[in-house]
Amino acid sequence: MDLRQLEYFVAVAEERNFTRAAERVHISQSGVSAQIRQLERELGAELFDRSARTAALTTAGKAALDHARAALAAAGAVRQAVGEVTELIRGRLSIGMVIGCTVTPLFDALAAFHRAHPGVEISLVEDHSDRLVDGVRASTLDLALIGTPTAAHEGLDALTIIEERLVAAVPAEHPLARQDRVALRDLCAYPIVCMPPGTGLRAVFDRVCAAQTLHPTIALQAGAADAIADLAARGLGVAVLSESMAAHYRDRLTARLIDDAETPAFLSLVWKHSPSPAVRAFLAHGRRAFGMAGTG
């Protein structure tokens, strides 16, 4: 048994699907399946029930999962300890980013890090914020850029990149565009186009609506701001976006701050306590790229 086999086993267990696990670890599905089969032969037990539609853990698989995670964490700790002593930055850096991310400073930070540390293999994973946070906590991701309704996350360190309010964005001929002030109740009189559950903006929107016992009609959902803006511009609903997102669509949408939606949305980098040298180096590039040099 080797660490790569354990990594594949944990990926399949968490994704509950061999195809998604293969995409996550960046090899073919057949490669993942072959390595899992070899691991099962070495352990003398099947780890997954393959008769179901999802890759469900067997009793043996459930017993092995925590130990596999611990072994991977221990191996990472060994690499980190050696790296700190030798001051070498090497290995792999797995970064997550929220779906539809167009925050170019993140890409600037990636490019600067790659130039400074070409020996580090970088992987970039796009997903909903909730899943990215889970990935950081499970150590399948080293850090992630997420949209979130809170500035703090239990068990993780965080660096807030942007903090801003929600806006309603509509075509110029829409009744809301003619109002100087827009309240949540005004907004909820129309169909809504917004991000799906699991994203930071949706979490904020759901939270502020629940606080007023409002039940908006979610007509359409999309994971990218461009898609939401396009749908709203065609009159299919009122777009709920952040202030900076809406600013990109001034040519076709009129944005109105939602007066009584005071809970902000945050865009944050999150990572586990005691980061590796590679994560610390990337955070330094990230702070510079986001114009936050010298911040904690």
Side-chain angles (χ1 to χ4, degrees):
M1 144 187 356
D2 60 37
L3 288 174
R4 189 56 61 89
Q5 289 173 337
L6 294 180
E7 180 185 2
Y8 298 165
F9 165 58
V10 170
V12 175
E14 292 177 350
E15 297 294 339
R16 303 190 67 181
N17 181 279
F18 278 83
T19 301
R20 288 197 300 270
E23 292 171 354
R24 173 166 138 181
V25 297
H26 308 295
I27 70 166
S28 67
Q29 179 180 335
S30 60
V32 169
S33 297
Q35 289 297 316
I36 296 294
R37 285 292 190 193
Q38 183 176 337
L39 179 60
E40 289 174 326
R41 284 195 294 271
E42 292 181 21
L43 294 174
E46 289 195 351
L47 300 174
F48 295 100
D49 177 2
R50 294 169 174 81
S51 65
R53 295 184 64 181
T54 58
L57 286 168
T58 62
T59 301
K62 292 175 182 177
L65 182 57
D66 286 344
H67 295 290
R69 285 172 171 155
L72 292 172
V78 170
R79 286 191 291 267
Q80 177 176 331
V82 173
E84 289 174 349
V85 170
T86 61
E87 296 186 349
L88 293 176
I89 298 178
R90 58 192 178 189
R92 301 171 65 191
L93 185 66
S94 298
I95 299 174
M97 69 176 184
V98 66
I99 289 175
C101 177
T102 56
V103 182
T104 54
L106 174 67
F107 308 140
D108 294 337
L110 282 169
F113 178 88
H114 178 65
R115 288 193 296 270
H117 309 288
V120 177
E121 177 189 347
I122 300 173
S123 64
L124 189 62
V125 177
E126 190 179 41
D127 210 333
H128 294 313
S129 294
D130 286 356
R131 288 172 60 86
L132 294 176
V133 170
D134 290 342
V136 174
R137 287 200 172 108
S139 298
T140 57
L141 293 173
D142 293 304
L143 73 162
L145 182 70
I146 63 168
T148 169
T150 59
H153 300 270
E154 185 178 355
L156 300 178
D157 289 332
L159 176 65
T160 297
I161 305 302
I162 298 171
E163 177 182 347
E164 56 188 3
R165 300 265 302 276
L166 297 184
V167 301
V170 293
E173 64 274 11
H174 194 282
L176 290 181
R178 296 192 288 272
Q179 296 183 205
D180 292 330
R181 302 171 68 88
V182 171
L184 267 175
R185 192 168 297 277
D186 301 328
L187 183 68
C188 291
Y190 301 93
I192 303 297
V193 184
C194 62
M195 296 279 182
T199 59
L201 281 181
R202 179 61 178 273
V204 173
F205 184 61
D206 288 347
R207 182 174 297 185
V208 295
C209 288
Q212 296 191 36
T213 323
L214 294 172
H215 304 283
T217 300
I218 308 300
L220 297 166
Q221 301 176 100
D226 283 351
I228 291 174
D230 284 346
L231 293 167
R234 288 165 170 77
L236 294 170
V238 176
V240 175
L241 297 168
S242 69
E243 294 173 90
S244 62
M245 285 178 175
H248 292 292
Y249 311 110
R250 289 177 182 146
D251 59 328
R252 51 202 162 119
L253 294 175
T254 299
R256 291 287 183 262
L257 192 68
I258 305 171
D259 278 354
D260 50 351
E262 297 180 355
T263 300
F266 296 88
L267 188 70
S268 302
L269 281 169
V270 295
W271 64 95
K272 293 184 79 170
H273 303 320
S274 303
S276 69
V279 171
R280 290 202 300 270
F282 179 82
L283 288 170
H285 288 291
R287 288 186 176 99
R288 286 192 289 271
F290 285 104
M292 307 173 74
T295 61

